[in-house]
Amino acid sequence: MIRIIDNGTYLVNGKDLLEIREQEVLYDAGGRQVNIEDFPYANQNFDRQSARKNTMSFNILTNKNTSGDVDKLKIRFDVLASHDITYVGIIQTARASGHLAEFPIPYVLTNCHNSLCAVGGTINEDDHVFGLSAAQKYGGIYVPAHQAVIHQYVREMMTSCGSMILGSDSHTRYGALGTMGIGEGGPELVKQLLEKTYDIAFPEIIAVYLKGKPRHGVGPQDVALSIIGAVFKNGFAKNKVLEFVGPGIANLSVDYRNGIDVMTTETTCLSSIWQTDQRVKEYFEIHGRPESYSKLEPGEIAYYDGAVIVDLDKIEPMIALPFHPSNVYTIAELNRNTDDILRMIEVEGRKQIENPAIKFNLTEHIVDGRLKVDQAIVAGCAGGTYENLVDVSSIVDNHFIGDGSLSLGVYPSSQPIYLELVRNGAAAKMMTAGAVIKTAFCGPCFGAGDVPANGSFSIRHTTRNFLNREGSKPGDGQISSVALMDARSIAATAINGGNLTPATDLDFSAADLPYKFDNKIYSNRIYNGFSKPQTEKDLKYGPNIADWPTMIALPENLVLKVASVIMDPVTTTDELIPSGETSSYRSNPLKLAEFTLSRKDPEYVSKAKEVQALEIERQSLVSGKGDSISTHLREICQELINNSNQHFTDIEDVLKRIGIGTTIYAVKPGDGSAREQAASSQKVLGGWANIAKEYATKRYRSNLVNWGMLPFTIESNPEMIFHVDDLLFIPNIKQRILNGDENIPAQVISSKGIQEIELSLRNLSKDEREIILKGCLINYYTGE
């Protein structure tokens, strides 16, 4: 189904893929050596540098670059987008800089994440009121709750071929519509609001070569999961741009392409872009924006840094088992080997849960040799698209979900889609079969809606199935499991009594129901204030909306206590800061920080606060407000006097020249959400650094930097094992950051003695170093 080419590759005339092997010998997509003399393009110049410029990605990135240096991009985006987990913090950060007068480019504020979450009393709707007041004051676009999920609204109303959109959500992907979308943490949007730039080195470009045509019953999630399964664990796509090319694109509808594209986030790629064609042109025409279309395609000879070949007609219905979208099997394979596969998943899952009191059991869901599910959901930017739901309606038509525990929930991704499903009868078919249709909401994707029962198994056409992301709470003895599947196989399973069933086993006819977009829903309800700021208006604050606490500049020397050690192969942002009801407190940094690592390491917050209290005591003593030193702080100072090479003269000298904070160690942190709170919550609790073997995504590393935290790696000490409560002394860290040093000497002080180690700080730009020196992005912009 999928083949990876981990070598330079040429795409010729949009159809012939040629792999470069040793000594510049070319091989075609079938692995056969090409005789260049017989090749129809033998007279063309296969020059890598010139051919690299013929990718769509190169042209879009360089068009948006303001640096004049192709290797060091400084990008200004065309559109920004946020939802109601992130936009309050972004606007508060931009305001704190002292430089926000109005939104300089269109900024969409959607309300699709906590719209239905009642935790915390009024605070969710208070944030929505704040969002509308901000759109009015600064000239933004405000999409009220239930109107559309963030990415569907942007697809329908904001995309255009050749443009770039930055969103504070990891699934910011609009490549199938000719728009490069990048999902980042909130501070990167703040930079754009303050008319600064998004700074990256020019990324590698990977061709995703599609050929063939999917079989009937195979949907976009099946294709997406196949790609994720092939490239996630080996890191092949990490921080690269996926460029979709090849003859197979013509065999896919735009909805189908969008469904594949939005899931590219789970490969950990930076962004994506697709060739555009007549179908994309028609999409923009249907949505009343024909001017947004232009044809995008690679040049005659385009060079890529690698390729993923996808044979569409060989893709089978897929399932991603707990607890990651890359944990993929064909449904047929799982049905053949149900017991063996589920037992293996149980073993791995229990390691990840790390709680012997939690009963994680999948094999108990095997009934008469078949995996039987308890819940089925089709929702969000991946599942709730028009064609997905029309196919669901065709499959469930004249069938019944039954009166047992199995439920089928359906969330159209926008009100215009919902309206058309009502008008053409598709909604009636689903409702008659027993499906419950709800309004546009991202809740099932992140644990704020349709949380499964304890011990149950849910299949979902959504974006992620991380541990506890669906809303379970291990600290309260709760656990449930989510598997990702395509809407068609979900519907097939639902009408088969919950027995796992691939849609290719059914004989169903897809309804011929062309989509008609009705913009009246939006024109009658959406507030569009771009370029019309009402600066005299006041922002409307609720009692939970709080300013960021004061953060100090980087001290001369750092003393860090290791507050948590996470040895999982990958740590998601959902483990660093849980989603779901936790996100209700998103607009109050101090309250939100109480949930940091709460499901992964419940002891973290108390440990971090103990260390933070020492730093507060240190500052009080230095300022002359404190009159006595605690035993713990005295012991730390004496340890440094005795064992460091900084020649501290006495305890008073130590107190003046150090800062005290915490760090966490994780093998590979940051997979998943773009939510900046994964980093900012650590900083609010006194965190100064993360230490890792590598970072799972650029966006998490950027979040650390923007909140003034040091993104250390341990390249020189890869076998180093940290322990909770180890002290880490990093001398002269301020000067080393000023110098641009990448190798940072440090001492680990533990019960076993003192160990000299070297930490690494790679590829920090001048601006990033300055942000860290200032203590955070807010301080950087205010000059504090």
Side-chain angles (χ1 to χ4, degrees):
M1 297 188 293
I2 309 287
R3 186 165 78 86
I4 292 175
I5 299 177
D6 195 7
N7 297 306
T9 306
Y10 290 109
L11 179 69
V12 182
N13 206 28
K15 62 178 183 179
D16 294 310
L17 201 64
L18 303 179
E19 175 187 356
I20 306 169
R21 297 189 185 174
E22 292 182 10
Q23 299 177 338
E24 301 297 302
V25 177
L26 301 179
Y27 288 76
D28 66 18
R32 296 175 293 273
Q33 184 174 340
V34 172
N35 185 342
I36 199 68
E37 299 302 323
D38 298 332
F39 192 63
Y41 303 99
N43 294 327
Q44 299 294 330
N45 178 22
F46 287 89
D47 175 67
R48 294 194 189 193
Q49 292 307 313
S50 58
R52 189 185 299 273
K53 298 177 182 179
N54 285 334
T55 63
M56 296 177 286
S57 304
F58 181 91
N59 286 286
I60 294 173
L61 289 168
T62 53
N63 283 341
K64 304 302 175 183
N65 180 34
T66 64
S67 72
D69 184 346
V70 172
D71 294 323
K72 296 180 180 178
L73 301 172
K74 290 182 174 291
I75 294 172
R76 291 300 313 276
F77 287 84
D78 300 286
V79 175
L80 304 177
S82 295
H83 49 60
D84 50 342
I85 284 182
T86 56
Y87 65 60
V88 175
I90 290 168
I91 293 165
Q92 288 285 77
T93 302
R95 288 184 65 252
S97 74
H99 303 294
L100 179 64
E102 66 178 279
F103 297 154
I105 56 177
Y107 183 21
V108 178
L109 311 178
T110 68
N111 296 277
C112 52
H113 271 61
N114 276 313
S115 336
L116 303 180
C117 186
V119 175
T122 70
I123 61 178
N124 291 290
E125 193 61 23
D126 291 345
D127 283 358
H128 298 168
V129 170
F130 175 91
L132 177 58
S133 71
Q136 292 168 337
K137 182 177 182 65
Y138 298 116
I141 300 166
Y142 179 81
V143 183
H146 311 290
Q147 295 298 305
V149 301
I150 178 172
H151 302 308
Q152 186 62 27
Y153 182 83
V154 174
R155 288 169 185 156
E156 294 170 349
M157 303 303 295
M158 307 306 295
T159 51
S160 61
C161 295
S163 67
M164 291 189 71
I165 294 178
L166 181 66
S168 58
D169 183 89
S170 54
H171 288 93
T172 303
R173 292 286 186 269
Y174 315 113
L177 297 170
T179 301
M180 288 187 71
I182 295 179
E184 281 281 1
E188 291 300 328
L189 277 79
V190 171
K191 293 175 184 177
Q192 297 289 312
L193 290 176
L194 301 180
E195 301 189 73
K196 307 300 181 181
T197 58
Y198 179 72
D199 302 345
I200 55 169
F202 193 91
E204 291 188 19
I205 313 298
I206 302 296
V208 182
Y209 183 83
L210 304 182
K211 61 179 182 177
K213 181 179 181 179
R215 291 183 294 152
H216 184 56
V218 171
Q221 188 81 324
D222 298 316
V223 179
L225 292 178
S226 298
I227 295 171
I228 295 164
V231 305
F232 173 79
K233 291 178 182 177
N234 58 22
F236 181 70
K238 181 180 174 181
N239 295 332
K240 302 173 186 177
V241 176
L242 300 184
E243 183 157 312
F244 285 77
V245 295
I249 292 177
N251 296 322
L252 307 177
S253 69
V254 173
D255 256 11
Y256 204 112
R257 300 176 200 181
N258 283 334
I260 298 170
D261 185 64
V262 73
M263 292 297 292
T264 59
T265 293
E266 303 311 320
T267 70
T268 68
C269 72
L270 176 73
S271 187
S272 63
I273 194 69
W274 293 55
Q275 291 179 219
T276 61
D277 56 16
Q278 181 64 28
R279 289 189 172 188
V280 179
K281 184 174 185 290
E282 291 170 358
Y283 180 93
F284 284 115
E285 290 171 349
I286 288 168
H287 289 83
R289 301 191 293 119
E291 73 284 354
S292 296
Y293 175 77
S294 61
K295 188 171 180 60
L296 300 181
E297 59 184 355
E300 186 171 44
I301 298 179
Y303 174 81
Y304 297 91
D305 298 288
V308 179
I309 300 174
V310 182
D311 198 341
L312 292 169
D313 50 20
K314 293 182 181 177
I315 300 291
E316 298 182 50
M318 307 295 291
I319 183 169
L321 290 170
F323 291 108
H324 200 275
S326 65
N327 202 10
V328 295
Y329 297 84
T330 67
I331 294 176
E333 179 186 8
L334 180 57
N335 280 339
R336 286 193 303 268
N337 304 285
T338 308
D339 191 79
D340 290 343
I341 291 174
L342 293 186
R343 288 191 186 282
M344 181 173 61
I345 299 299
E346 286 175 347
V347 170
E348 293 304 312
R350 287 167 187 156
K351 291 179 184 176
Q352 194 170 345
I353 294 168
E354 294 182 321
N355 186 343
I358 295 293
K359 180 187 176 185
F360 175 56
N361 191 320
L362 297 180
T363 50
E364 67 183 11
H365 295 281
I366 301 174
V367 179
D368 297 328
R370 298 283 297 276
L371 175 60
K372 191 166 185 175
V373 307
D374 305 296
Q375 184 193 57
I377 301 288
V378 179
C381 55
T385 58
Y386 177 74
E387 288 180 8
N388 282 345
L389 298 185
V390 166
D391 276 0
V392 168
S393 73
S394 297
I395 291 170
V396 303
D397 189 24
N398 295 319
H399 292 83
F400 306 99
I401 305 306
D403 59 2
S405 61
L406 175 67
S407 62
L408 173 61
V410 172
Y411 293 74
S413 56
S414 72
Q415 283 292 82
I417 288 175
Y418 197 167
L419 178 61
E420 189 59 21
L421 294 170
V422 170
R423 284 176 171 169
N424 64 27
K429 293 177 182 177
M430 290 186 281
M431 293 171 71
T432 303
V436 178
I437 305 181
K438 305 180 182 181
T439 52
F441 179 44
C442 295
C445 288
F446 75 106
D450 278 314
V451 178
N454 179 54
S456 64
F457 192 93
S458 176
I459 53 173
R460 302 183 174 194
H461 192 154
T462 55
T463 56
R464 290 196 174 120
N465 62 334
F466 296 162
L467 178 64
N468 302 313
R469 183 177 170 89
E470 84 303 329
S472 59
K473 297 180 181 179
D476 294 336
Q478 303 171 13
I479 187 70
S480 55
S481 304
V482 166
L484 301 183
M485 287 171 47
D486 186 79
R488 291 147 194 82
S489 292
I490 289 174
T493 299
I495 65 171
N496 195 20
N499 293 308
L500 192 67
T501 304
T504 48
D505 282 2
L506 303 184
D507 182 15
F508 74 96
S509 298
D512 184 16
L513 298 172
Y515 182 58
K516 300 181 184 68
F517 175 74
D518 190 337
N519 189 42
K520 291 189 185 71
I521 291 175
Y522 288 161
S523 62
N524 290 338
R525 191 71 186 97
I526 307 300
Y527 176 80
N528 191 339
F530 176 60
S531 75
K532 296 174 288 186
Q534 302 175 59
T535 55
E536 74 283 359
K537 283 188 172 289
D538 293 326
L539 294 174
K540 296 183 179 180
Y541 286 87
N544 188 59
I545 298 175
D547 291 330
W548 291 102
T550 300
M551 298 178 191
I552 65 171
L554 184 70
E556 178 186 346
N557 306 282
L558 267 181
V559 178
L560 303 178
K561 179 169 275 194
V562 178
S564 185
V565 173
I566 305 172
M567 299 304 295
D568 294 341
V570 179
T571 303
T572 70
T573 44
D574 285 88
E575 293 166 300
L576 295 166
I577 185 71
S579 58
E581 65 173 292
T582 300
S583 297
S584 290
Y585 299 97
R586 61 202 176 270
S587 303
N588 188 317
L590 294 175
K591 286 186 178 180
L592 183 66
E594 295 287 335
F595 296 93
T596 310
L597 279 168
S598 58
R599 294 178 186 167
K600 186 64 182 175
D601 184 355
E603 302 299 317
Y604 169 79
V605 171
S606 61
K607 287 185 174 295
K609 285 185 173 182
E610 288 175 6
V611 178
Q612 190 173 39
L614 294 176
E615 171 61 16
I616 293 170
E617 179 188 355
R618 184 199 68 81
Q619 293 180 28
S620 177
L621 290 168
V622 170
S623 66
K625 296 178 181 178
D627 54 8
S628 64
I629 185 170
S630 66
T631 301
H632 193 180
L633 184 56
R634 182 184 296 275
E635 288 173 349
I636 290 174
C637 293
Q638 196 61 54
E639 188 79 57
L640 296 176
I641 292 170
N642 295 341
N643 295 303
S644 78
N645 56 4
Q646 289 308 101
H647 307 297
F648 293 115
T649 57
D650 52 29
I651 288 177
E652 184 178 353
D653 184 39
V654 176
L655 293 173
K656 289 179 179 178
R657 293 170 55 193
I658 67 169
I660 303 172
T662 52
T663 184
I664 68 169
Y665 172 79
V667 175
K668 188 178 180 180
D671 183 29
S673 171
R675 284 175 292 138
E676 65 184 274
Q677 295 99 326
S680 66
S681 292
Q682 294 176 54
K683 186 60 182 283
V684 166
L685 292 170
W688 269 110
N690 275 193
I691 305 172
K693 287 190 176 181
E694 64 174 305
Y695 292 93
T697 58
K698 175 198 173 297
R699 55 184 173 269
Y700 178 66
R701 186 177 183 274
S702 295
N703 284 337
L704 291 173
V705 170
N706 285 325
W707 285 104
M709 298 179 69
L710 294 149
F712 289 126
T713 55
I714 48 171
E715 298 171 13
S716 300
N717 306 84
E719 304 306 317
M720 177 69 191
I721 298 176
F722 292 93
H723 299 90
V724 171
D725 291 334
D726 284 353
L727 275 182
L728 194 66
F729 179 58
I730 311 174
N732 300 318
I733 183 62
K734 182 176 181 179
Q735 188 60 49
R736 291 187 178 280
I737 296 295
L738 282 167
N739 295 345
D741 294 353
E742 294 195 337
N743 300 314
I744 312 295
Q747 291 178 318
V748 178
I749 304 171
S750 69
S751 58
K752 296 181 180 179
I754 298 175
Q755 181 179 357
E756 304 286 339
I757 66 168
E758 185 176 83
L759 301 170
S760 299
L761 275 178
R762 302 292 181 213
N763 303 317
L764 286 176
S765 69
K766 182 176 180 295
D767 287 347
E768 287 176 327
R769 290 180 179 275
E770 189 64 27
I771 291 168
I772 289 172
L773 287 167
K774 293 291 187 181
C776 66
L777 186 70
I778 295 172
N779 295 354
Y780 174 69
Y781 282 132
T782 58
E784 295 181 1

